Amino acid sequence: MKGPLVISRVIMALSNPLFYDIRSSNDVDPPQNEESTDVGELVNDPAQTASKPIGTVLSSVRELLECPVCLNAMYPPIHQCSNGHTICSGCKPRVHNRCPTCRHELGNIRCLALEKVAASFALPCKYKGFGCIGIYPYYNKPEHESQCAYRPYNCPYAGSECSVVGDIPYLVTHLKDEHKVDMHNGSTFNHRYVKSNPQEVENATWMLTVFSCFGQYFCLHFEAFQLGMAPVYVAFLRFMGDDSEAKNYTYSLEVGGNGRKMVWQGVPRSIRESHRRVRDSFDGLIIQRNMALFFSGGDRKELKLRITGRIWKEQ
């Protein structure tokens, strides 16, 4: 059963000539196989081809391709009930094989007409507002968006569950105004960490500083966390940009005192990677507590660490 409700709605939304203009302007063709049917062939009534605003056409098709349960875009296999109501394959088991609209049993009916419509459809990237101007075939759009160079970054502030996203200039202002993060200019830095009771280590004990140099921004993270039964201190740098750009830079960190010194050199990780993932990879300067206490003077009464660093651009 083809689902007359879905087919009629598809025909009404897509018979408009503007839809064909969208397809032809982006060279997106429907699948070439023996079952492929151009939706336009099903329409012979001139009354249904009256021009509509292009935004109305796009909106109508997007609504048809939206799952009524999760509200996400549907991709094959798209299922339907005997009344023509559709649902995505991921939500079908969640509703125990019952249509969420009319409660009829879903069975294994595929909505092939809607799947073919989707194959013929092209949409702008969802990050258009951030600068992406591409138009992508419906089925290729998710893959592009997962790697789109214009997709926003998550706030790198790791001390809270901050859900803010945006481009780099916006996040720099956000870090300064909302999180009161220290901002410094220059490629060298000197960071001090003091803790009165070094025996107490909390995972939330950390600091963040943002550095501006070479026309870019870098985040210096320093924190203490429990590794098994032993407290560990870690310092690492993240690049506020993509990994491809981060690889153009190198940084070094040095900590010392009381006749001892440790040096780390590495490549900053992109803020595309989560703070926790970078921290748990130990890709940075790792200081065990006993060594940190030696750096502090050896009396084991107070932790005083002085970390110096430098960032430079590889030629």
Side-chain angles (χ1 to χ4, degrees):
M1 185 174 297
K2 293 184 176 295
L5 175 62
V6 172
I7 293 178
S8 63
R9 292 176 64 196
V10 170
I11 293 173
M12 291 179 65
L14 300 182
S15 60
N16 189 291
L18 290 175
F19 176 71
Y20 297 103
D21 291 341
I22 297 170
R23 289 176 51 196
S24 61
S25 65
N26 293 286
D27 297 325
V28 180
D29 296 321
Q32 299 300 313
N33 56 55
E34 60 184 11
E35 294 185 357
S36 178
T37 302
D38 194 327
V39 176
E41 296 175 1
L42 302 176
V43 181
N44 296 310
D45 184 359
Q48 292 187 4
T49 61
S51 296
K52 297 179 183 178
I54 188 170
T56 301
V57 176
L58 294 175
S59 178
S60 298
V61 178
R62 287 172 182 167
E63 289 178 4
L64 291 174
L65 292 170
E66 183 179 274
C67 174
V69 177
C70 65
L71 303 182
N72 292 324
M74 294 188 290
Y75 298 92
I78 299 175
H79 297 277
Q80 70 176 40
C81 72
S82 58
N83 288 327
H85 304 122
T86 55
I87 188 172
C88 75
S89 58
C91 289
K92 185 171 179 278
R94 293 173 55 191
V95 297
H96 306 291
N97 208 37
R98 290 284 178 181
C99 175
T101 303
C102 67
R103 306 307 299 167
H104 279 205
E105 185 175 354
L106 287 169
N108 293 311
I109 305 173
R110 291 272 294 277
C111 187
L112 300 179
L114 191 55
E115 291 179 8
K116 290 178 181 178
V117 168
S120 303
F121 196 46
L123 289 170
C125 172
K126 69 179 180 180
Y127 301 123
K128 179 181 179 180
F130 290 93
C132 184
I133 61 174
I135 304 292
Y136 300 91
Y138 183 78
Y139 292 146
N140 298 112
K141 186 169 171 282
E143 181 180 0
H144 160 75
E145 290 173 347
S146 68
Q147 301 296 325
C148 179
Y150 293 93
R151 68 192 191 279
Y153 299 88
N154 294 319
C155 173
Y157 192 85
S160 67
E161 297 297 327
C162 185
S163 59
V164 169
V165 298
D167 58 18
I168 299 304
Y170 176 81
L171 288 181
V172 170
T173 301
H174 167 74
L175 288 169
K176 180 181 178 181
D177 296 342
E178 300 298 326
H179 296 298
K180 310 303 179 184
V181 170
D182 289 336
M183 302 282 175
H184 293 277
N185 293 319
S187 59
T188 60
F189 49 87
N190 190 331
H191 174 79
R192 287 183 59 84
Y193 177 77
V194 179
K195 188 172 179 62
S196 58
N197 186 356
Q199 304 303 320
E200 296 180 0
V201 175
E202 300 176 359
N203 289 349
T205 302
W206 70 284
M207 298 180 71
L208 172 67
T209 307
V210 173
F211 296 90
S212 174
C213 56
F214 307 108
Q216 306 288 351
Y217 291 94
F218 300 82
C219 298
L220 174 65
H221 295 266
F222 180 85
E223 66 180 276
F225 66 100
Q226 201 79 22
L227 181 62
M229 299 298 293
V232 173
Y233 304 93
V234 59
F236 57 88
L237 201 71
R238 287 203 292 167
F239 175 73
M240 296 188 70
D242 283 342
D243 184 64
S244 58
E245 294 181 83
K247 293 177 180 178
N248 296 326
Y249 300 90
T250 304
Y251 75 100
S252 65
L253 298 174
E254 179 179 312
V255 60
N258 198 26
R260 295 163 178 82
K261 181 170 69 173
M262 291 177 63
V263 178
W264 162 265
Q265 180 173 312
V267 177
R269 301 275 281 270
S270 166
I271 61 171
R272 292 283 188 207
E273 297 186 71
S274 69
H275 162 268
R276 180 178 294 275
R277 179 177 179 179
V278 177
R279 187 200 72 180
D280 291 349
S281 71
F282 301 109
D283 189 8
L285 177 65
I286 307 296
I287 312 167
Q288 301 292 335
R289 183 173 64 178
N290 286 338
M291 184 58 67
L293 292 174
F294 276 122
F295 292 151
S296 301
D299 58 11
R300 309 180 74 87
K301 294 181 180 180
E302 189 176 39
L303 189 69
K304 296 180 180 179
L305 292 178
R306 179 174 174 269
I307 298 177
T308 59
R310 182 169 72 92
I311 307 168
W312 65 94
K313 188 174 184 178
E314 296 293 346
Q315 300 298 324

